Amino acid sequence: MNIKLGENIRRLRIDISLTQEQLAGYLEVSPQAVSRWETGASCPDISLLPQIAGLFEITVDELLGVNEAEKRREINAIVAETSAMIDKNITEEPICTLRAALK
């Protein structure tokens, strides 16, 4: 998972025609803080994430760039791959595959 919080905040803010100053006012932070988030120089305090997500009408996971559908596809592919190996009586490789996936 590649988290691009700042990029997501910028894109979502622009999508609803909000300025950095307006977003900052809503969150009670400085416009400079919003600018730093969007450039990746810093991140919002974790306690602000639900408020930011709520403003954009998305989940915190979506704000952080977590794609549930993609995660499900990856999990299903790993399950199919390891099941096929097990069906062929290959035992060591599925364990390695699962260990790598967990990392």
Side-chain angles (χ1 to χ4, degrees), residues 9-90:
I9 291 172
R10 182 178 188 282
R11 178 183 47 78
L12 292 162
R13 176 183 61 75
I14 291 170
D15 285 351
I16 63 170
S17 301
L18 212 60
T19 66
Q20 288 182 340
E21 292 78 15
Q22 290 168 324
L23 178 58
Y26 175 78
L27 298 172
E28 298 179 350
V29 298
S30 70
Q32 293 81 7
V34 174
S35 176
R36 287 192 301 271
W37 301 342
E38 292 183 359
T39 61
S42 67
C43 292
D45 186 273
I46 194 168
S47 65
L48 288 175
L49 296 181
Q51 190 175 357
I52 296 169
L55 172 67
F56 297 126
E57 298 179 348
I58 60 172
T59 66
V60 172
D61 279 353
E62 291 169 315
L63 180 64
L64 294 173
V66 176
N67 184 330
E68 290 298 320
E70 179 63 25
K71 284 192 324 187
R72 280 192 203 98
R73 279 192 295 277
E74 289 175 13
I75 290 168
N76 289 339
I78 292 165
V79 168
E81 180 183 350
T82 55
S83 293
M85 286 186 252
I86 291 169
D87 289 345
K88 295 177 184 176
N89 291 322
I90 301 171

